[in-house]
């Protein structure tokens, strides 16, 4: 019966609805680092918490069910999940990776994996032809992020999966921006899904966590061996915080996405805004592809003002959003990619990718949309160039 429930209901009515031993309606936090063995050759379900812990396991099975996979893994951060997943590769392998990947993933590939003989090529994955042209004999992985950060570019997941299968490559998707509430890549044929659970999955800017889910058992076994070997597992308090956040995932994302759509439409009509990037707008380049593979546009959008000066005036004037890195929380979060997430990228490279000095990214929270719109209106007025008389 529970497999027939809608996603929203599954978030609450699953095998962790209550604890079998006590009836507790919140997953117990099991702090033990080690577990008593009844006999010297008789092992229980758990022996040592790096290898397995009931609280962490509750989160791991929950995310596996929600993503439609067979096995979930919880890590100490999104980067720990991503880095451990890359360890599935070996010396001499080649990765094809989307060019506007998250900065931490970019750093891992370009300055760590390269030292272990793993080669890479960045490509514009919105262009399937370019992807096909760049697949080499030793390409073992195609790595996607869709929608991307900060320009919300959309990759055709099914198209990439077809190419990968024809060439014997694995496919990974970083699903942080949409979560399984809006996009389930494993159902589209992807092999492994990754998350910074620091964002929408936990949702309250109060925990750092990463998750991974595999579609098949064999890949799950291999990732389990790596999780246990590398050891970057999630602590139990943090696992509990993510489990609690998950219960409200659907309602948070639904509300935030509605407000993001309203704000994107407001900004698009505003004379002081040069461009708005949001997959929910019908003129967004990836709008149609997105609508075939996801059930909603999500709660993150970017918009461009005329100059860095306009951005500075806007940021000084706007009241509601916190100005910070990160996204996916109950409060709206505004960030400035040129000086935050993409500060390390040379200006010409940034501009080539459309990340100009006028670009701002907004993760919409749970405030009333009309309050956000009124706040943005007054801040935009203040951002207008002053006419000196
Ligand atoms: C899309 C994406 N992937 C991965 C990460 C890394 O996650 P964490 O910060 O939890 O290590 C982030 C962090 O901002 C992200 O935005």
């Amino acid at each position: 019966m529970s497999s027939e429930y809608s996603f929203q209901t599954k978030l609450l009515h699953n095998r962790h609805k209550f604890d079998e031993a006590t009836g507790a309606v919140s997953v117990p936090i099991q702090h033990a680092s080690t577990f008593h063995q009844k006999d010297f050759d008789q092992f229980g379900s758990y022996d040592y918490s790096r290898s397995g812990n009931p609280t962490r396991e509750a989160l791991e099975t929950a995310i596996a069910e929600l993503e439609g996979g067979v096995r979930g893994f919880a890590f100490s951060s999104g980067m720990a999940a991503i880095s451990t997943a890359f360890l599935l590769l070996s010396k001499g392998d080649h990765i094809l990776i989307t060019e506007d990947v998250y900065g931490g993933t970019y750093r891992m590939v370009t300055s760590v994996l390269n030292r272990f003989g793993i080669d890479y090529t960045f490509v514009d994955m919105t262009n399937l032809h370019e992807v096909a042209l760049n697949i080499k004999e030793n390409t073992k992985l195609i790595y996607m992020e869709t929608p991307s950060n900060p320009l919300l570019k959309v990759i055709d997941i099914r198209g990439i999966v077809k190419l990968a299968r024809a060439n014997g490559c694995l496919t990974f998707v970083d699903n942080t921006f949409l979560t399984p509430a809006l996009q389930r890549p494993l159902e589209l044929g992807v092999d492994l899904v990754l998350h910074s659970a620091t964002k929408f999955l936990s949702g309250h800017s109060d925990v750092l966590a990463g998750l991974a889910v595999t579609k098949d058992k064999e890949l799950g076994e291999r990732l389990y061996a790596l999780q246990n070997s590398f050891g970057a597992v999630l602590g139990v308090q943090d696992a509990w915080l993510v489990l609690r956040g998950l219960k409200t995932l659907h309602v948070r994302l639904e509300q935030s996405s509605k407000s993001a759509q309203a704000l994107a439409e407001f900004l698009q009509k505003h004379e002081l805004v040069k461009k708005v990037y949001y997959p929910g707008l019908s003129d967004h380049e990836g709008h149609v592809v997105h609508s075939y593979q996801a059930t909603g546009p999500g709660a993150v959008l970017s918009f461009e003002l005329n100059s860095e000066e306009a951005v500075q005036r806007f940021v000084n004037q706007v009241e509601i959003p916190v100005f910070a890195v990160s996204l996916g929380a109950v409060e709206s979060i505004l960030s400035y990619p040129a000086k935050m997430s993409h500060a390390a990228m040379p200006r010409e490279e940034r501009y080539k990718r459309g990340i100009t000095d006028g670009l701002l990214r907004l993760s919409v929270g749970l405030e009333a949309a009309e309050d956000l719109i009124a706040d943005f209106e007054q801040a935009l007025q203040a951002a207008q160039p002053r006419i000196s008389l």
Side-chain angles (χ1 to χ4, degrees), residues 49-62:
S49 271
R50 173 163 35 74
S51 314
N53 171 287
T55 311
R56 192 174 82 233
E57 192 178 274
L59 173 59
E60 293 178 329
T61 52

Side-chain angles (χ1 to χ4, degrees), residues 125 128-129 131-132 135 142 144 155-167 171 188 190 289 293:
M125 285 203 181
L128 288 179
H129 185 62
V131 176
I135 295 177
I142 305 188
M144 295 168 258
I155 298 170
D156 175 357
I157 298 176
R158 285 189 190 89
I160 299 281
V161 164
K162 247 189 215 167
L163 282 173
R165 286 196 178 156
N167 290 278
T171 43
L188 305 173
V190 165
V289 173
Q293 63 190 20

Side-chain angles (χ1 to χ4, degrees), residues 88-243:
L88 288 162
L89 298 170
S90 301
K91 187 175 172 186
D93 289 349
H94 171 255
I95 310 170
L96 210 52
I97 186 160
T98 176
E99 67 181 0
D100 38 18
V101 73
Y102 170 66
T105 310
Y106 176 90
R107 188 168 49 220
M108 181 67 195
V109 169
T110 57
S111 63
V112 181
L113 294 184
N114 62 332
R115 292 195 288 107
F116 294 88
I118 296 169
D119 195 14
Y120 56 85
T121 307
F122 286 95
V123 287
D124 172 6
M125 285 203 181
T126 61
N127 183 342
L128 288 179
H129 185 62
E130 197 162 315
V131 176
L133 284 179
N134 280 284
I135 295 177
K136 301 183 187 183
E137 225 162 82
N138 60 340
T139 304
K140 292 285 163 57
L141 167 64
I142 305 188
Y143 189 101
M144 295 168 258
E145 216 178 280
T146 178
S148 73
N149 179 23
L151 296 178
L152 289 306
K153 285 191 192 168
V154 174
I155 298 170
D156 175 357
I157 298 176
R158 285 189 190 89
I160 299 281
V161 164
K162 247 189 215 167
L163 282 173
R165 286 196 178 156
N167 290 278
C169 315
L170 287 174
T171 43
F172 294 0
V173 167
D174 181 332
N175 203 24
T176 299
F177 269 40
L178 293 184
T179 83
L182 298 175
Q183 180 171 271
R184 289 191 281 283
L186 300 183
E187 291 175 4
L188 305 173
V190 165
D191 296 297
L192 191 142
V193 168
L194 293 154
H195 282 284
S196 170
T198 313
K199 313 292 168 11
F200 291 103
L201 293 176
S202 59
H204 294 70
S205 300
D206 55 9
V207 61
L208 204 63
L211 295 170
V213 182
T214 61
K215 194 173 61 175
D216 77 60
K217 238 175 131 183
E218 192 268 335
L219 193 63
E221 286 299 326
R222 286 169 61 202
L223 193 61
Y224 173 70
L226 290 166
Q227 182 193 38
N228 196 28
S229 303
F230 195 68
V233 293
L234 188 64
V236 291
Q237 296 277 357
D238 292 343
W240 185 87
L241 279 169
V242 180
L243 277 165

Side-chain angles (χ1 to χ4, degrees), residues 149-150 177 198-200 202-207 252 256 260 263 267 299-303 314-315 318-337 340-341 359-367 372 375-376:
N149 179 23
F177 269 40
T198 313
K199 313 292 168 11
F200 291 103
S202 59
H204 294 70
S205 300
D206 55 9
V207 61
R252 283 187 284 106
S256 292
L263 206 61
L267 289 168
V300 181
L301 59 98
S302 292
F303 60 100
F314 179 84
V315 169
V318 77
E319 287 174 7
I320 292 179
V322 294
F323 189 58
V325 290
S326 203
L327 56 102
V330 286
E331 62 279 338
S332 291
I333 302 177
L334 185 67
S335 71
Y336 183 46
M340 291 168 145
S341 55
L359 191 78
L360 281 161
R361 188 192 74 193
L362 179 73
S363 165
V364 180
L366 297 182
E367 303 89 352
L372 280 167
D375 188 28
F376 273 49

